[in-house]
Amino acid sequence: MDSIRLKARAKINLGLDVLGKRDDGYHEVRMIMQTVGIYDRIIIKKIPEDEIRINSNLFFLPVNENNLIYKAARMMKDEYNIKEGVEIDLNKFIPVAAGMAGGSTDAASTLFGMNKIFDLGISQSKLMEMGLKIGADVPYCIMRGTALAEGIGEKLTRLTPMPHCWLIVAKPPINVSTKLVYESLDMGGISKHPDSIMDAIKRGDVEGVAQKMGNVLEDVTIPLYPVIDSIKKQMLKNGAIGAMMSGSGPTVFGIFPDEQTALRCQAVLKAQGEARQVYITETFN
């Protein structure tokens, strides 16, 4: 195999709770992660030169060691003494800096793809272990599906797959610093920790999931960027059975009872103009 084409899929958080701050400065979290249908396209090709070349459809993305794809490829080459090089084409569709693990899923796909084209035979658990050295979300992006993430996000437990449902994902034209959001979080000020939604997922109860969703980081991000709350309200007004910010923001997603309702809401959001990118998608397991 000299090349491989991959779909690097995005994630949303159906639940995000912060339990405390660790001595190392990171936060203890408890999250329900879910893969969705939005994806970046990645093509990895072997080249004879001992180089890592990255091409991207977005001019502002780094194509050097500051890109997580590069870090993943370099790790594989160094760890397994790979003398050949790779050329990696990235067509990016997941919104950038959106709380959807776009960079992490690209890195995860690079680890997966290089394992395949160089016939390394690395297990999924080993790939996840390697991915953690790149970022806390990378192991989940290798696993995919519905999962409970604990620790700093690296302790993963696979859950019963989330039942299929239609989603709208909307990103306003702002970027949010995850580091700033966590640094600004007042642990003592968290008034309500999200209820567990795992029982609703296990029952296949989409409405139950929508009602129990929660993200404590909204308490930080929404006051800074009220447009997030405005988009949430528009989704609920236009048929969503639940709407929430994903990760540290600013992306908002809504769960819809059917595709037609989602399509109508998508049209409203596009016409309103508060969100620059509005996608209709679905859960992916």
Side-chain angles (χ1 to χ4, degrees):
M1 183 184 291
D2 291 325
S3 66
I4 189 169
R5 293 172 177 265
L6 300 163
K7 294 178 179 179
R9 295 189 181 273
K11 64 85 181 169
I12 56 173
N13 299 94
L14 296 170
L16 195 163
D17 197 5
V18 180
L19 307 179
K21 192 171 184 178
R22 301 168 16 146
D23 293 339
D24 60 8
Y26 289 97
H27 287 76
E28 286 280 338
V29 296
R30 182 177 173 86
M31 304 182 290
I32 306 296
M33 314 275 262
Q34 176 60 50
T35 308
V36 297
I38 302 169
Y39 58 84
D40 294 339
R41 285 194 174 274
I42 293 178
I43 303 172
I44 306 174
K45 295 174 285 190
K46 290 181 185 177
I47 57 174
E49 299 85 2
D50 187 9
E51 297 176 4
I52 299 168
R53 302 174 188 162
I54 301 173
N55 309 305
S56 173
N57 62 324
L58 299 183
F59 72 91
F60 55 84
L61 288 182
V63 292
N64 54 18
E65 63 274 5
N66 295 318
N67 190 308
L68 296 187
I69 287 176
Y70 188 101
K71 291 180 180 180
R74 172 53 59 196
M75 180 184 291
M76 294 292 275
K77 281 177 58 60
D78 291 348
E79 186 123 349
Y80 292 93
N81 197 29
I82 298 169
K83 298 304 182 185
E84 293 173 275
V86 286
E87 182 168 3
I88 302 173
D89 293 331
L90 169 65
N91 280 302
K92 192 147 195 69
F93 303 105
I94 300 170
V96 176
M100 299 186 73
S104 294
T105 193
D106 293 342
S109 289
T110 301
L111 294 175
F112 177 88
M114 289 188 66
N115 183 35
K116 290 292 186 184
I117 65 172
F118 290 105
D119 196 24
L120 301 173
I122 308 169
S123 67
Q124 184 184 71
S125 60
K126 175 62 177 175
L127 286 176
M128 291 167 65
E129 182 183 316
M130 295 174 68
L132 182 58
K133 297 174 184 176
I134 301 170
D137 280 344
V138 179
Y140 166 73
C141 292
I142 292 170
M143 175 188 277
R144 293 183 173 182
T146 310
L148 170 66
E150 298 173 289
I152 61 170
E154 87 288 5
K155 298 176 184 175
L156 297 168
T157 304
R158 190 177 293 281
L159 301 177
T160 303
M162 169 73 179
H164 176 269
C165 61
W166 291 96
L167 306 163
I168 291 288
V169 173
K171 181 182 183 288
I174 53 175
N175 293 332
V176 172
S177 165
T178 298
K179 185 173 183 288
L180 175 64
V181 170
Y182 274 98
E183 287 177 348
S184 303
L185 180 65
D186 175 12
M187 291 301 304
I190 298 176
S191 58
K192 183 181 178 183
H193 290 274
D195 294 328
S196 171
I197 61 174
M198 289 189 287
D199 289 342
I201 292 172
K202 191 172 182 179
R203 294 194 308 270
D205 179 5
V206 174
E207 288 198 14
V209 172
Q211 290 165 6
K212 289 181 175 292
M213 293 192 308
N215 181 349
V216 299
L217 298 183
E218 287 188 336
D219 293 343
V220 176
T221 310
I222 286 178
L224 294 172
Y225 304 101
V227 66
I228 295 170
D229 193 50
S230 178
I231 293 171
K232 281 181 61 177
K233 288 175 178 175
Q234 282 297 323
M235 286 185 178
L236 292 168
K237 181 180 177 182
N238 288 277
I241 57 176
M244 192 174 79
M245 183 181 81
S246 184
S248 56
T251 299
V252 179
F253 71 90
I255 296 178
F256 288 81
D258 53 66
E259 185 180 13
Q260 287 305 311
T261 306
L263 285 167
R264 286 195 294 271
C265 182
Q266 181 187 36
V268 170
L269 290 172
K270 284 185 173 181
Q272 185 189 44
E274 286 187 318
R276 177 177 292 168
Q277 297 161 286
V278 184
Y279 300 87
I280 182 166
T281 186
E282 52 196 316
T283 49
F284 182 91
N285 288 300

